[in-house]
C-alpha cells in the first residue's frame, strides 16, 4: 500500500517548508502498518502560524472585519471542499484511530460541513449589533466582535467532528485559528488543510500545526493567542486552565467523563439495544460522553446484566473499514495497555466479569480488545469512578429512583448521561435531576442546535448551539454622542 506523505505544513494559507526535520509517523490501528507521516511543527513553526493568524486578524480590511455574509461565502466553499474529501477523511480517521467506518462517515465526513453551515447561518441571521435607548438620556451601541486569534487543541478520538465544534463558530464569528491536532490523527487534519487551500480561505485564517503536548503548551501560552479552546483529558485541561488563569486568557475546556445510564424499572432495554450500544460503547468506548456506568434496579439486576452481556458478546469485532464492524481496535498500543490495566484492576477488586477482558482470538496484529462488562460492583470500584476510555461497562445495582440519581451524581465528572424508561415524562423528570451538562432519554445524540459540555471535572464552557458561538465573541459597547443641547 502506498503511504500518505506530506512534505510541508499548512501555515499562512499556503504549504510551507517546516523549519525542523522531525516527522510524525502514523500507524494503522487495525494492523500496525505505517500509513503515512507529516512534519512535526517546531516552536518556530508555531511562531509563524500564530504570527500569520495574528496579521490576518489585525488586518483592518481582513477576515475579522468582513460582513458575516462574505465569510459565509468562503465557508460554504470550505464545506463543499470538505464534502468532496468526505470518503477519504472517513477512511483516514478509521485507519488511524480504529473508528468503525459507518461512524466515521457520519461524524467525521458529514459533521464538519454541517457545522460550518450552521454557524454561518447563525451569524448571518442574527444581528451582531444593536442600538439601545439608554436610561440616562443617551443611546448605546452594543455589538459582538470576534474574540481574536484562537488556539484550538483537539484529541484523536473524533478528530474532525471535534475540530469543527471549534472551527465552525470561530471562523463564522471572524476569528482566525491555529489548530493543533493530536499526533495520532494528523492525516485527516492535512486533508482538511487541502480543503481549506482549495476553498481559498484567506491567508492566515486557518493554520494547522501538528505536534504533541510540548507544542500544545507552547501554543497555549503564546503571546499572540487571545483565546484557547481545548478538548482532551482532564489532566491536560487542568494545566491549560492554570496557564490561562495566570495569563487571564479566556478558555473553553471539554474534558473527560464517567457518565451514568439510569435504567428505570419499566425500561424495555431489549427493545432499544442499538441506541443503548451507541450511548455506551460507540467508537470502541473512546468517546467522552458515553454512559459507562450502567445503573440497574435490583429487582431486574440479573436480567439486565444478561441482556447487556448478550449484546456485548455479539458485537462484531473487526477491521474498522468493514461496514459490518461494531468494535474496531483501540487507537494505540498504549491505550490498549491502559484499558487492560483497568480490566485487571476491576478483577482484583472483586468485580465479576461477565464477558470480554482479553485480546480477541484471530487478531494477531492491531490494538484490538474485547468489549468487557463488569457486574456485582458498586460505584466506589476504580472502574466505576475513573474514565477508562475503552469498551468497558460497570453494571451497578440500585434500590430506588432516589438512590439511582444519587449514584449517578456521585462522580467527579458531569458530561453526559442517559435515562431509559417506557415512560418519557418520568425519564425526563429523572434527567432533570442528573448533575451533568447533557442527558439523553432512551438514546444519546449531540444535536448541533443544543449546547454540549460538562460540569465539575468535565470542563468549563459549552460548544454547539448559539451558546457555542458566544465564547468566540466579545461584547463591545460604544456610548453614542449625547443629544444636542
Ligand atoms: P490529551 O489531553 O492527552 O490530548 C488532547 C490534545 O491535547 C492532544 O492534541 C494533545 O497533544 C494535547 N495536549 C496534551 N497535553 C497538553 C498540554 N498540557 N497543553 C496543551 N496541549 C496538550 O487527551 P487524549 O488522550 O488525546 O484524548 C482523550 C481524552 O479527551 C479523554 O479524557 C476524553 O474524555 C477527552 N475528550 C473530551 C471530549 C469532550 O468534548 N468533553 C471529547 C473528546 C475527548
Amino acid at each position: 500500500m502506498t503511504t500518505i506523505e506530506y512534505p510541508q505544513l499548512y501555515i499562512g494559507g499556503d504549504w510551507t517548508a517546516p523549519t525542523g526535520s522531525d516527522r510524525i509517523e502514523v500507524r494503522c490501528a487495525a494492523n500496525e502498518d505505517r500509513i503515512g507521516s507529516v512534519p512535526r511543527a517546531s516552536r518556530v513553526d508555531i511562531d509563524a502560524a500564530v504570527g500569520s493568524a495574528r496579521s490576518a486578524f489585525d488586518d483592518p480590511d481582513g477576515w475579522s472585519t468582513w460582513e458575516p455574509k462574505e465569510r459565509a461565502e468562503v465557508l460554504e466553499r470550505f464545506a463543499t471542499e470538505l464534502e468532496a474529501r468526505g470518503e477519504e477523511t472517513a477512511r483516514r480517521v478509521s485507519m488511524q484511530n480504529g473508528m468503525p467506518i459507518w461512524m466515521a462517515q457520519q461524524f467525521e465526513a458529514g459533521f464538519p460541513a454541517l457545522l460550518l453551515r450552521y454557524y454561518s447561518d447563525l451569524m448571518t441571521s442574527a444581528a451582531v449589533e444593536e442600538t439601545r435607548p439608554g436610561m440616562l438620556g443617551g443611546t448605546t451601541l452594543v455589538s459582538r466582535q470576534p474574540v481574536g486569534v484562537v488556539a484550538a487543541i483537539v484529541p484523536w478520538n473524533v478528530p474532525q467532528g471535534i475540530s469543527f465544534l471549534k472551527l465552525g463558530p470561530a471562523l463564522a464569528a471572524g476569528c482566525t485559528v491555529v489548530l493543533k491536532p493530536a499526533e495520532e490523527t494528523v492525516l485527516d487534519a492535512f486533508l482538511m488543510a487541502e480543503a481549506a487551500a482549495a476553498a481559498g480561505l484567506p491567508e492566515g485564517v486557518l493554520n494547522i500545526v501538528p505536534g504533541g503536548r510540548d507544542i500544545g503548551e507552547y501554543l497555549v501560552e503564546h503571546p499572540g493567542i487571545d483565546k484557547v479552546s481545548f478538548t482532551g483529558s482532564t489532566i491536560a485541561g487542568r494545566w491549560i486552565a492554570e496557564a490561562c488563569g495566570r495569563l487571564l486568557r479566556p478558555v473553553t475546556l471539554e474534558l473527560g467523563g464517567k457518565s451514568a445510564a439510569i435504567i428505570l424499572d419499566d425500561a424495555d432495554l431489549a427493545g432499544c439495544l442499538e441506541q443503548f450500544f451507541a450511548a455506551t460503547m460507540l467508537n470502541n468506548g473512546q468517546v467522552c460522553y458515553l454512559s459507562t456506568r450502567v445503573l440497574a434496579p435490583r429487582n431486574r439486576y440479573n436480567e439486565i446484566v444478561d441482556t447487556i452481556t448478550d449484546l456485548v458478546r455479539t458485537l462484531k469485532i473487526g477491521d474498522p473499514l468493514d461496514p459490518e464492524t461494531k468494535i474496531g481496535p483501540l487507537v494505540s498500543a498504549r491505550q490498549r495497555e491502559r484499558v487492560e490495566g483497568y480490566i485487571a484492576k476491576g478483577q482484583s477488586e472483586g468485580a465479576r466479569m461477565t464477558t470480554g477482558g482479553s485480546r480477541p482470538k484471530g487478531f494477531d496484529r492491531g490494538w484490538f480488545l474485547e468489549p468487557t462488562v463488569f457486574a456485582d460492583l458498586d460505584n466506589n470500584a476504580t472502574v466505576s469512578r475513573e474514565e477508562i476510555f475503552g469498551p468497558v461497562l460497570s453494571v451497578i445495582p440500585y434500590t430506588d429512583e432516589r438512590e439511582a440519581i444519587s449514584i449517578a451524581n456521585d462522580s467527579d465528572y458531569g458530561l453526559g448521561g442517559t435515562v431509559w424508561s417506557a415512560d418519557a415524562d418520568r425519564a425526563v423528570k429523572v434527567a432533570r435531576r442528573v448533575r451533568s451538562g447533557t442527558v439523553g432519554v432512551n438514546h444519546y445524540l449531540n444535536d448541533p442546535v443544543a449546547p454540549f459540555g460538562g460540569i465539575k471535572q468535565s470542563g468549563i464552557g459549552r460548544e454547539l448551539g448559539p451558546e457555542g458561538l458566544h465564547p468566540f465573541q466579545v461584547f463591545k459597547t460604544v456610548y453614542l454622542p449625547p443629544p444636542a443641547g
Side-chain angles (χ1 to χ4, degrees), residues 154 156-157 180 216-217 230-233 254-256 288 387 389:
V154 296
W156 45 261
N157 64 329
K180 194 203 82 61
E217 291 185 356
F230 173 78
T231 299
S233 59
E254 296 286 359
L255 309 176
C288 50
E387 183 183 54
F389 225 55

Side-chain angles (χ1 to χ4, degrees), residues 150-201:
V150 174
I153 301 179
V154 296
W156 45 261
N157 64 329
V158 190
Q160 290 290 309
I162 290 174
S163 293
F164 279 88
L165 294 181
K166 305 175 190 315
L167 292 176
L171 296 177
C175 297
T176 59
V177 180
V178 179
L179 173 73
K180 194 203 82 61
E183 288 169 283
E184 293 84 351
T185 45
V186 284
L187 300 178
D188 58 289
F190 274 59
L191 205 53
M192 181 206 298
E194 285 181 27
L201 250 66

Side-chain angles (χ1 to χ4, degrees), residues 354-427:
T354 66
T355 185
S358 310
R359 298 180 182 189
K361 292 195 177 51
F363 293 89
D364 297 337
R365 292 172 68 78
W367 300 302
F368 290 92
L369 188 61
E370 289 171 343
T372 302
V373 178
F374 280 115
D376 301 345
L377 76 174
D378 65 19
N379 196 44
N380 294 318
T382 305
V383 291
S384 306
R385 298 213 74 83
E386 296 185 13
E387 183 183 54
I388 298 175
F389 225 55
V392 181
L393 302 183
S394 300
V395 189
I396 300 166
Y398 72 84
T399 304
D400 55 24
E401 219 173 270
R402 210 183 165 86
E403 193 194 14
I405 294 165
S406 143
I407 296 173
N409 292 345
D410 178 14
S411 171
D412 293 338
Y413 297 102
L415 184 58
T418 44
V419 183
W420 306 81
S421 172
D423 178 344
D425 291 342
R426 183 182 170 206

Side-chain angles (χ1 to χ4, degrees), residues 69-131:
K69 201 167 135 301
E70 295 174 288
R71 288 196 294 267
E73 281 165 19
V74 177
L75 296 180
E76 176 54 38
R77 293 205 301 272
F78 190 18
T80 305
E81 294 293 342
L82 287 165
E83 282 173 333
R85 291 162 180 80
E87 275 302 311
E88 178 61 7
T89 299
R91 196 181 73 87
R92 288 188 189 185
V93 171
S94 284
M95 287 196 299
Q96 293 170 122
N97 71 5
M99 181 185 290
I101 190 74
W102 50 267
M103 177 183 166
Q105 279 157 351
Q106 195 183 329
F107 284 71
E108 300 288 276
F111 217 44
L114 184 146
L115 289 174
L116 283 176
R117 292 188 179 120
Y118 171 71
Y119 281 106
S120 290
D121 284 352
L122 216 54
M123 274 302 292
T124 46
S125 58
V128 289
E129 201 165 272
E130 61 172 297
T131 310

Side-chain angles (χ1 to χ4, degrees), residues 205-281:
V205 166
L206 173 63
N207 307 269
I208 300 180
V209 287
R213 176 186 164 160
D214 52 334
I215 281 301
E217 291 185 356
Y218 185 67
L219 180 60
V220 165
E221 295 189 308
H222 200 289
I225 295 295
D226 296 308
K227 152 94 190 164
V228 176
S229 182
F230 173 78
T231 299
S233 59
T234 294
I235 190 164
R238 188 171 285 120
W239 185 89
I240 291 169
E242 284 173 9
C244 289
R246 189 168 15 88
L247 295 164
L248 294 180
R249 187 164 288 175
V251 60
T252 301
L253 301 167
E254 296 286 359
L255 309 176
K258 190 75 193 177
S259 304
I262 302 179
I263 302 182
L264 296 178
D265 53 13
D266 63 351
D268 173 21
L269 193 58
C272 50
L273 289 178
E274 267 297 313
Q275 291 90 332
F276 183 78
F277 163 76
T280 57
M281 284 220 166

